[in-house]
Amino acid sequence: MMPPKRIKYCRSLPPDVLSDLPDNVIDVILMCLPCKDAVRTSILSKKWRYHWCRLTKLTLDSSLWVTKKDLLSPTVKFTKIIYQLLPLHEGPITKFTLNIGFLESCPEIGNFVSFLSRKDIQHLVLHLSWKMLYKLPSSLFTCSQLRHLTLRNCLMLPPSAFQGFDMLTSLELCNVKISSVLLETLISHCPVLGQLVLNISDILSIIEINAPMLRSFDFRGDISSICLKNVPLLVKVSLVGDDMRAENLDFAKVFESCSALEHLYLDFFNTMFFDDYAEAPTRLPFALNSVKRFYLPHIMLADSHKLSFALFLIRSFPCLEYLEILVLSFLFSGYFSYFLDPQ
């Protein structure tokens, strides 16, 4: 009897799964990777080669150029990499984040910002070196498609011909040196600005916020330098006072145009009161009937001046529904939350 014939199996090579992926799927994968790893995917296949060059969202930070065997200074290495990397990019860049806050000095980024201005940039984040304030190049103010702008550690001097960012909806400035007049002008020339974050400690004069579309405002600095002049749609406000004197506080001026305000966070822990300081008035000259939620952190029971200010504000919110207070003392620290009956 003849032995049974062996059945021959022909194993075909598996398809190249990576090369068969649609372009939009590859884009999603690349956008989830750090920039360094996205560039490395060029070795996977011909289809992946330089695919990262068409990414519309890029983040450049220390992970791109800092290694354990660095021989070049971080600043030199950053400059070398960024000017090798960006010329390879094709198409628009809608979102770009640059974080070089750790560098000893800020490298020249004028050509780089000019490059972005020609790429239809819409969302730009620049965290520059904290050891020096870098003067922003004039090309930044030609980015007419900007929707979101975040700047940290820089000097801002808009050119005289600057007409504002017509499409900007979100602006965040942290440790940015800019005059009060220029800051007022910048804000008022962003007609659709809806969110504003300011962390500026060296404001020397009053800033009038004129932003008819503004809905959210966060401020850290001298609260007495802020006047919410024209903010009819403003719903949410966070104010953290740093190194300010109580005699300069005028909440009637601060909340002059806040007819739609619903959420207020107010921290004046670092406000300086003196023994001869007069008590706060009973209430604001106008009622803020729209305020529903009020947060007061860092209130010390032994500080009668700050308690009087807290009561002064609470009385000015007749329709208040929720009150949260963080009480501090030498022996106790804790939150008190109250749901208030509007009746």
Side-chain angles (χ1 to χ4, degrees), residues 86-102:
L86 293 184
L88 296 174
H89 192 276
E90 302 173 359
I93 299 177
T94 57
K95 182 177 181 180
F96 189 89
T97 299
L98 177 66
N99 188 349
I100 53 174
F102 71 97

Side-chain angles (χ1 to χ4, degrees), residues 41-330:
T41 60
S42 293
I43 67 172
L44 295 177
S45 71
K46 289 183 179 180
K47 185 173 182 179
W48 283 69
R49 187 171 299 167
Y50 299 122
H51 197 101
W52 66 269
C53 295
R54 297 190 293 274
L55 285 177
T56 58
K57 299 178 182 179
L58 291 175
T59 297
L60 300 185
D61 56 25
S62 59
S63 65
L64 186 62
W65 55 82
V66 174
T67 65
K68 294 181 179 179
K69 298 181 180 180
D70 278 341
L71 298 177
L72 295 175
S73 72
T75 302
V76 173
K77 194 169 184 182
F78 160 78
T79 305
K80 181 178 179 181
I81 288 177
I82 199 169
Y83 287 109
Q84 287 178 344
L85 194 67
L86 293 184
L88 296 174
H89 192 276
E90 302 173 359
I93 299 177
T94 57
K95 182 177 181 180
F96 189 89
T97 299
L98 177 66
N99 188 349
I100 53 174
F102 71 97
L103 292 182
E104 291 290 330
S105 61
C106 187
E108 174 57 45
I109 61 171
N111 292 336
F112 151 68
V113 174
S114 179
F115 168 82
L116 290 176
S117 69
R118 300 190 298 271
K119 289 285 188 174
D120 299 327
I121 187 71
Q122 297 179 14
H123 191 147
L124 179 60
V125 178
L126 297 178
H127 288 186
L128 304 181
S129 174
W130 64 273
K131 292 196 173 183
M132 63 172 291
L133 294 181
Y134 179 85
K135 181 182 176 182
L136 293 172
S138 58
S139 54
L140 172 70
F141 303 98
T142 65
C143 298
S144 59
Q145 302 297 314
L146 273 179
R147 268 77 165 175
H148 305 273
L149 178 61
T150 298
L151 301 174
R152 187 183 295 267
N153 305 327
C154 58
L155 173 62
M156 200 172 188
L157 291 173
S160 57
F162 177 61
Q163 296 297 314
F165 296 114
D166 291 341
M167 299 183 180
L168 196 70
T169 62
S170 174
L171 175 64
E172 180 176 348
L173 304 179
C174 180
N175 193 28
V176 172
K177 189 173 182 61
I178 182 173
S179 72
S180 300
V181 174
L182 288 178
L183 182 56
E184 277 188 6
T185 303
L186 173 64
I187 294 171
S188 63
H189 283 71
C190 298
V192 295
L193 187 66
Q195 181 178 9
L196 177 62
V197 178
L198 299 177
N199 188 346
I200 303 177
S201 58
D202 58 350
I203 298 175
L204 300 178
S205 58
I206 303 297
I207 299 174
E208 292 188 351
I209 307 295
N210 181 10
M213 302 299 291
L214 192 66
R215 298 187 62 83
S216 175
F217 177 52
D218 291 78
F219 177 80
R220 187 182 188 104
D222 185 351
I223 298 175
S224 62
S225 65
I226 294 297
C227 175
L228 297 170
K229 186 71 173 179
N230 180 23
V231 286
L233 301 182
L234 186 60
V235 174
K236 186 177 180 181
V237 171
S238 173
L239 301 175
V240 179
D242 280 345
D243 301 325
M244 60 184 184
R245 300 171 68 91
E247 61 264 31
N248 296 328
L249 277 175
D250 184 356
F251 284 112
K253 176 193 67 179
V254 174
F255 299 118
E256 182 177 351
S257 177
C258 296
S259 57
L261 182 62
E262 295 182 7
H263 301 262
L264 175 61
Y265 177 98
L266 178 62
D267 184 352
F268 50 89
F269 180 70
N270 290 327
T271 304
M272 292 180 287
F273 289 83
F274 298 94
D275 292 337
D276 59 348
Y277 180 72
E279 290 293 316
T282 305
R283 63 182 71 240
L284 287 170
F286 47 84
L288 288 175
N289 297 317
S290 58
V291 176
K292 301 295 190 297
R293 304 177 75 88
F294 186 28
Y295 304 87
L296 267 173
H298 306 137
I299 294 294
M300 297 190 70
L301 296 177
D303 193 332
S304 60
H305 293 305
K306 290 181 182 177
L307 282 175
S308 66
F309 257 99
L311 291 173
F312 149 67
L313 289 168
I314 292 171
R315 294 190 195 102
S316 302
F317 308 146
C319 299
L320 193 65
E321 297 176 1
Y322 179 82
L323 173 64
E324 185 173 300
I325 301 175
L326 172 59
V327 177
L328 300 177
S329 72
F330 294 109

